[in-house]
PDB file of all heavy atoms in Angstrom:
ATOM      1  N   ALA A   1      -1.716 -57.290 166.139  1.00 97.00           N
ATOM      2  CA  ALA A   1      -0.718 -56.886 167.129  1.00 97.00           C
ATOM      3  C   ALA A   1      -1.349 -56.011 168.209  1.00 97.00           C
ATOM      4  O   ALA A   1      -1.071 -56.178 169.408  1.00 97.00           O
ATOM      5  CB  ALA A   1       0.420 -56.132 166.441  1.00 97.00           C
ATOM      6  N   THR A   2      -2.193 -55.095 167.815  1.00 98.00           N
ATOM      7  CA  THR A   2      -2.844 -54.216 168.783  1.00 98.00           C
ATOM      8  C   THR A   2      -3.792 -55.001 169.684  1.00 98.00           C
ATOM      9  O   THR A   2      -3.916 -54.706 170.884  1.00 98.00           O
ATOM     10  CB  THR A   2      -3.611 -53.095 168.067  1.00 98.00           C
ATOM     11  OG1 THR A   2      -2.713 -52.436 167.163  1.00 98.00           O
ATOM     12  CG2 THR A   2      -4.152 -52.066 169.047  1.00 98.00           C
ATOM     13  N   LEU A   3      -4.464 -55.996 169.133  1.00 98.00           N
ATOM     14  CA  LEU A   3      -5.333 -56.842 169.945  1.00 98.00           C
ATOM     15  C   LEU A   3      -4.530 -57.509 171.064  1.00 98.00           C
ATOM     16  O   LEU A   3      -4.958 -57.542 172.224  1.00 98.00           O
ATOM     17  CB  LEU A   3      -5.999 -57.895 169.067  1.00 98.00           C
ATOM     18  CG  LEU A   3      -6.922 -58.887 169.788  1.00 98.00           C
ATOM     19  CD1 LEU A   3      -8.120 -58.170 170.394  1.00 98.00           C
ATOM     20  CD2 LEU A   3      -7.381 -59.975 168.830  1.00 98.00           C
ATOM     21  N   SER A   4      -3.350 -58.035 170.740  1.00 97.00           N
ATOM     22  CA  SER A   4      -2.505 -58.662 171.749  1.00 97.00           C
ATOM     23  C   SER A   4      -2.019 -57.647 172.778  1.00 97.00           C
ATOM     24  O   SER A   4      -1.935 -57.947 173.975  1.00 97.00           O
ATOM     25  CB  SER A   4      -1.308 -59.349 171.077  1.00 97.00           C
ATOM     26  OG  SER A   4      -1.730 -60.442 170.293  1.00 97.00           O
ATOM     27  N   ALA A   5      -1.694 -56.447 172.319  1.00 98.00           N
ATOM     28  CA  ALA A   5      -1.257 -55.398 173.246  1.00 98.00           C
ATOM     29  C   ALA A   5      -2.376 -55.038 174.215  1.00 98.00           C
ATOM     30  O   ALA A   5      -2.141 -54.851 175.421  1.00 98.00           O
ATOM     31  CB  ALA A   5      -0.811 -54.169 172.461  1.00 98.00           C
ATOM     32  N   PHE A   6      -3.606 -54.956 173.720  1.00 98.00           N
ATOM     33  CA  PHE A   6      -4.750 -54.638 174.587  1.00 98.00           C
ATOM     34  C   PHE A   6      -4.972 -55.745 175.615  1.00 98.00           C
ATOM     35  O   PHE A   6      -5.278 -55.475 176.779  1.00 98.00           O
ATOM     36  CB  PHE A   6      -6.017 -54.417 173.746  1.00 98.00           C
ATOM     37  CG  PHE A   6      -6.292 -52.975 173.440  1.00 98.00           C
ATOM     38  CD1 PHE A   6      -5.349 -52.197 172.777  1.00 98.00           C
ATOM     39  CD2 PHE A   6      -7.488 -52.388 173.802  1.00 98.00           C
ATOM     40  CE1 PHE A   6      -5.597 -50.862 172.501  1.00 98.00           C
ATOM     41  CE2 PHE A   6      -7.745 -51.055 173.534  1.00 98.00           C
ATOM     42  CZ  PHE A   6      -6.792 -50.281 172.891  1.00 98.00           C
ATOM     43  N   LYS A   7      -4.823 -56.989 175.191  1.00 97.00           N
ATOM     44  CA  LYS A   7      -4.994 -58.100 176.124  1.00 97.00           C
ATOM     45  C   LYS A   7      -3.934 -58.028 177.224  1.00 97.00           C
ATOM     46  O   LYS A   7      -4.240 -58.248 178.412  1.00 97.00           O
ATOM     47  CB  LYS A   7      -4.885 -59.421 175.364  1.00 97.00           C
ATOM     48  CG  LYS A   7      -5.049 -60.659 176.237  1.00 97.00           C
ATOM     49  CD  LYS A   7      -6.463 -60.777 176.777  1.00 97.00           C
ATOM     50  CE  LYS A   7      -6.671 -62.105 177.500  1.00 97.00           C
ATOM     51  NZ  LYS A   7      -8.042 -62.240 178.044  1.00 97.00           N
ATOM     52  N   THR A   8      -2.707 -57.716 176.859  1.00 98.00           N
ATOM     53  CA  THR A   8      -1.620 -57.602 177.825  1.00 98.00           C
ATOM     54  C   THR A   8      -1.900 -56.483 178.821  1.00 98.00           C
ATOM     55  O   THR A   8      -1.767 -56.657 180.040  1.00 98.00           O
ATOM     56  CB  THR A   8      -0.291 -57.344 177.107  1.00 98.00           C
ATOM     57  OG1 THR A   8      -0.054 -58.379 176.153  1.00 98.00           O
ATOM     58  CG2 THR A   8       0.869 -57.295 178.091  1.00 98.00           C
ATOM     59  N   LEU A   9      -2.287 -55.316 178.328  1.00 98.00           N
ATOM     60  CA  LEU A   9      -2.580 -54.176 179.199  1.00 98.00           C
ATOM     61  C   LEU A   9      -3.805 -54.435 180.071  1.00 98.00           C
ATOM     62  O   LEU A   9      -3.852 -54.003 181.230  1.00 98.00           O
ATOM     63  CB  LEU A   9      -2.806 -52.921 178.352  1.00 98.00           C
ATOM     64  CG  LEU A   9      -1.555 -52.285 177.741  1.00 98.00           C
ATOM     65  CD1 LEU A   9      -1.955 -51.227 176.716  1.00 98.00           C
ATOM     66  CD2 LEU A   9      -0.681 -51.674 178.825  1.00 98.00           C
ATOM     67  N   ALA A  10      -4.798 -55.130 179.524  1.00 98.00           N
ATOM     68  CA  ALA A  10      -6.016 -55.395 180.283  1.00 98.00           C
ATOM     69  C   ALA A  10      -5.705 -56.175 181.555  1.00 98.00           C
ATOM     70  O   ALA A  10      -6.250 -55.876 182.631  1.00 98.00           O
ATOM     71  CB  ALA A  10      -7.018 -56.164 179.425  1.00 98.00           C
ATOM     72  N   ARG A  11      -4.838 -57.145 181.461  1.00 98.00           N
ATOM     73  CA  ARG A  11      -4.484 -57.946 182.637  1.00 98.00           C
ATOM     74  C   ARG A  11      -3.723 -57.097 183.657  1.00 98.00           C
ATOM     75  O   ARG A  11      -3.902 -57.249 184.866  1.00 98.00           O
ATOM     76  CB  ARG A  11      -3.643 -59.144 182.211  1.00 98.00           C
ATOM     77  CG  ARG A  11      -4.406 -60.163 181.371  1.00 98.00           C
ATOM     78  CD  ARG A  11      -3.493 -61.282 180.897  1.00 98.00           C
ATOM     79  NE  ARG A  11      -2.972 -62.054 182.021  1.00 98.00           N
ATOM     80  CZ  ARG A  11      -3.583 -63.098 182.580  1.00 98.00           C
ATOM     81  NH1 ARG A  11      -4.764 -63.483 182.119  1.00 98.00           N
ATOM     82  NH2 ARG A  11      -3.034 -63.750 183.580  1.00 98.00           N
ATOM     83  N   ASP A  12      -2.900 -56.198 183.161  1.00 97.00           N
ATOM     84  CA  ASP A  12      -2.084 -55.368 184.046  1.00 97.00           C
ATOM     85  C   ASP A  12      -2.918 -54.322 184.780  1.00 97.00           C
ATOM     86  O   ASP A  12      -2.611 -53.960 185.920  1.00 97.00           O
ATOM     87  CB  ASP A  12      -0.989 -54.687 183.225  1.00 97.00           C
ATOM     88  CG  ASP A  12       0.016 -53.963 184.097  1.00 97.00           C
ATOM     89  OD1 ASP A  12       0.710 -54.629 184.890  1.00 97.00           O
ATOM     90  OD2 ASP A  12       0.112 -52.728 183.988  1.00 97.00           O
ATOM     91  N   LEU A  13      -3.987 -53.828 184.131  1.00 98.00           N
ATOM     92  CA  LEU A  13      -4.755 -52.709 184.671  1.00 98.00           C
ATOM     93  C   LEU A  13      -6.091 -53.108 185.275  1.00 98.00           C
ATOM     94  O   LEU A  13      -6.812 -52.254 185.804  1.00 98.00           O
ATOM     95  CB  LEU A  13      -5.000 -51.676 183.567  1.00 98.00           C
ATOM     96  CG  LEU A  13      -3.734 -50.998 182.997  1.00 98.00           C
ATOM     97  CD1 LEU A  13      -4.073 -50.231 181.729  1.00 98.00           C
ATOM     98  CD2 LEU A  13      -3.113 -50.086 184.036  1.00 98.00           C
ATOM     99  N   ALA A  14      -6.421 -54.374 185.237  1.00 97.00           N
ATOM    100  CA  ALA A  14      -7.745 -54.818 185.676  1.00 97.00           C
ATOM    101  C   ALA A  14      -8.032 -54.466 187.132  1.00 97.00           C
ATOM    102  O   ALA A  14      -9.181 -54.186 187.501  1.00 97.00           O
ATOM    103  CB  ALA A  14      -7.887 -56.325 185.470  1.00 97.00           C
ATOM    104  N   GLY A  15      -7.014 -54.450 187.973  1.00 97.00           N
ATOM    105  CA  GLY A  15      -7.218 -54.161 189.379  1.00 97.00           C
ATOM    106  C   GLY A  15      -7.321 -52.690 189.706  1.00 97.00           C
ATOM    107  O   GLY A  15      -7.496 -52.319 190.878  1.00 97.00           O
ATOM    108  N   GLU A  16      -7.233 -51.823 188.680  1.00 98.00           N
ATOM    109  CA  GLU A  16      -7.267 -50.378 188.903  1.00 98.00           C
ATOM    110  C   GLU A  16      -8.533 -49.726 188.378  1.00 98.00           C
ATOM    111  O   GLU A  16      -8.593 -48.513 188.208  1.00 98.00           O
ATOM    112  CB  GLU A  16      -6.035 -49.726 188.264  1.00 98.00           C
ATOM    113  CG  GLU A  16      -4.712 -50.247 188.817  1.00 98.00           C
ATOM    114  CD  GLU A  16      -3.522 -49.498 188.262  1.00 98.00           C
ATOM    115  OE1 GLU A  16      -3.499 -48.253 188.396  1.00 98.00           O
ATOM    116  OE2 GLU A  16      -2.635 -50.135 187.680  1.00 98.00           O
ATOM    117  N   GLY A  17      -9.541 -50.540 188.073  1.00 98.00           N
ATOM    118  CA  GLY A  17     -10.805 -49.990 187.583  1.00 98.00           C
ATOM    119  C   GLY A  17     -10.748 -49.548 186.132  1.00 98.00           C
ATOM    120  O   GLY A  17     -11.610 -48.793 185.679  1.00 98.00           O
ATOM    121  N   ILE A  18      -9.745 -50.025 185.399  1.00 98.00           N
ATOM    122  CA  ILE A  18      -9.562 -49.627 183.998  1.00 98.00           C
ATOM    123  C   ILE A  18      -9.711 -50.865 183.119  1.00 98.00           C
ATOM    124  O   ILE A  18      -9.034 -51.875 183.331  1.00 98.00           O
ATOM    125  CB  ILE A  18      -8.171 -48.998 183.784  1.00 98.00           C
ATOM    126  CG1 ILE A  18      -8.004 -47.758 184.672  1.00 98.00           C
ATOM    127  CG2 ILE A  18      -7.959 -48.640 182.309  1.00 98.00           C
ATOM    128  CD1 ILE A  18      -6.581 -47.236 184.740  1.00 98.00           C
ATOM    129  N   THR A  19     -10.603 -50.793 182.151  1.00 98.00           N
ATOM    130  CA  THR A  19     -10.824 -51.921 181.249  1.00 98.00           C
ATOM    131  C   THR A  19     -10.353 -51.568 179.839  1.00 98.00           C
ATOM    132  O   THR A  19     -10.418 -50.415 179.410  1.00 98.00           O
ATOM    133  CB  THR A  19     -12.304 -52.322 181.194  1.00 98.00           C
ATOM    134  OG1 THR A  19     -13.074 -51.260 180.605  1.00 98.00           O
ATOM    135  CG2 THR A  19     -12.840 -52.622 182.589  1.00 98.00           C
ATOM    136  N   LEU A  20      -9.873 -52.578 179.135  1.00 98.00           N
ATOM    137  CA  LEU A  20      -9.470 -52.435 177.738  1.00 98.00           C
ATOM    138  C   LEU A  20     -10.110 -53.556 176.939  1.00 98.00           C
ATOM    139  O   LEU A  20      -9.900 -54.743 177.234  1.00 98.00           O
ATOM    140  CB  LEU A  20      -7.951 -52.510 177.565  1.00 98.00           C
ATOM    141  CG  LEU A  20      -7.145 -51.356 178.166  1.00 98.00           C
ATOM    142  CD1 LEU A  20      -6.649 -51.712 179.562  1.00 98.00           C
ATOM    143  CD2 LEU A  20      -5.963 -51.005 177.251  1.00 98.00           C
ATOM    144  N   ASN A  21     -10.903 -53.182 175.956  1.00 98.00           N
ATOM    145  CA  ASN A  21     -11.578 -54.161 175.118  1.00 98.00           C
ATOM    146  C   ASN A  21     -11.465 -53.762 173.648  1.00 98.00           C
ATOM    147  O   ASN A  21     -11.125 -52.618 173.324  1.00 98.00           O
ATOM    148  CB  ASN A  21     -13.047 -54.282 175.527  1.00 98.00           C
ATOM    149  CG  ASN A  21     -13.210 -54.897 176.904  1.00 98.00           C
ATOM    150  OD1 ASN A  21     -12.918 -56.070 177.111  1.00 98.00           O
ATOM    151  ND2 ASN A  21     -13.653 -54.097 177.864  1.00 98.00           N
ATOM    152  N   THR A  22     -11.769 -54.712 172.799  1.00 98.00           N
ATOM    153  CA  THR A  22     -11.676 -54.499 171.357  1.00 98.00           C
ATOM    154  C   THR A  22     -12.966 -54.942 170.698  1.00 98.00           C
ATOM    155  O   THR A  22     -13.534 -55.975 171.072  1.00 98.00           O
ATOM    156  CB  THR A  22     -10.502 -55.302 170.761  1.00 98.00           C
ATOM    157  OG1 THR A  22      -9.284 -54.939 171.419  1.00 98.00           O
ATOM    158  CG2 THR A  22     -10.366 -55.057 169.268  1.00 98.00           C
ATOM    159  N   VAL A  23     -13.451 -54.163 169.751  1.00 98.00           N
ATOM    160  CA  VAL A  23     -14.583 -54.604 168.938  1.00 98.00           C
ATOM    161  C   VAL A  23     -14.067 -54.973 167.557  1.00 98.00           C
ATOM    162  O   VAL A  23     -13.161 -54.327 167.018  1.00 98.00           O
ATOM    163  CB  VAL A  23     -15.696 -53.535 168.842  1.00 98.00           C
ATOM    164  CG1 VAL A  23     -16.408 -53.391 170.177  1.00 98.00           C
ATOM    165  CG2 VAL A  23     -15.153 -52.205 168.363  1.00 98.00           C
ATOM    166  N   LEU A  24     -14.663 -56.025 167.005  1.00 97.00           N
ATOM    167  CA  LEU A  24     -14.234 -56.552 165.716  1.00 97.00           C
ATOM    168  C   LEU A  24     -15.381 -56.430 164.717  1.00 97.00           C
ATOM    169  O   LEU A  24     -16.213 -57.336 164.607  1.00 97.00           O
ATOM    170  CB  LEU A  24     -13.811 -58.020 165.862  1.00 97.00           C
ATOM    171  CG  LEU A  24     -12.807 -58.350 166.965  1.00 97.00           C
ATOM    172  CD1 LEU A  24     -12.510 -59.854 166.982  1.00 97.00           C
ATOM    173  CD2 LEU A  24     -11.523 -57.554 166.784  1.00 97.00           C
ATOM    174  N   PRO A  25     -15.452 -55.315 164.014  1.00 97.00           N
ATOM    175  CA  PRO A  25     -16.537 -55.140 163.040  1.00 97.00           C
ATOM    176  C   PRO A  25     -16.386 -56.090 161.866  1.00 97.00           C
ATOM    177  O   PRO A  25     -15.278 -56.376 161.407  1.00 97.00           O
ATOM    178  CB  PRO A  25     -16.379 -53.687 162.572  1.00 97.00           C
ATOM    179  CG  PRO A  25     -15.414 -53.062 163.531  1.00 97.00           C
ATOM    180  CD  PRO A  25     -14.564 -54.158 164.067  1.00 97.00           C
ATOM    181  N   GLY A  26     -17.518 -56.541 161.384  1.00 96.00           N
ATOM    182  CA  GLY A  26     -17.549 -57.271 160.126  1.00 96.00           C
ATOM    183  C   GLY A  26     -17.820 -56.291 158.996  1.00 96.00           C
ATOM    184  O   GLY A  26     -17.181 -55.244 158.913  1.00 96.00           O
ATOM    185  N   ARG A  27     -18.760 -56.611 158.166  1.00 96.00           N
ATOM    186  CA  ARG A  27     -19.076 -55.749 157.029  1.00 96.00           C
ATOM    187  C   ARG A  27     -20.087 -54.692 157.465  1.00 96.00           C
ATOM    188  O   ARG A  27     -21.291 -54.941 157.511  1.00 96.00           O
ATOM    189  CB  ARG A  27     -19.594 -56.579 155.864  1.00 96.00           C
ATOM    190  CG  ARG A  27     -18.552 -57.575 155.365  1.00 96.00           C
ATOM    191  CD  ARG A  27     -19.025 -58.369 154.191  1.00 96.00           C
ATOM    192  NE  ARG A  27     -18.071 -59.422 153.849  1.00 96.00           N
ATOM    193  CZ  ARG A  27     -18.266 -60.348 152.908  1.00 96.00           C
ATOM    194  NH1 ARG A  27     -19.396 -60.333 152.206  1.00 96.00           N
ATOM    195  NH2 ARG A  27     -17.344 -61.262 152.686  1.00 96.00           N
TER     196      ARG A  27
END
């Protein structure tokens, strides 16, 4: 759910110099 929220916010804020990304750790 948080991954989807970050994707939504990333599109909204991309034009303001603000990036939102997610890292997916394995083991």
Side-chain angles (χ1 to χ4, degrees):
T2 307
L3 179 64
S4 293
F6 264 58
K7 180 67 173 180
T8 304
L9 286 169
R11 293 176 64 87
D12 188 64
L13 296 168
E16 300 185 56
I18 300 168
T19 66
L20 293 95
N21 292 292
T22 303
V23 289
L24 309 179
R27 298 182 187 175

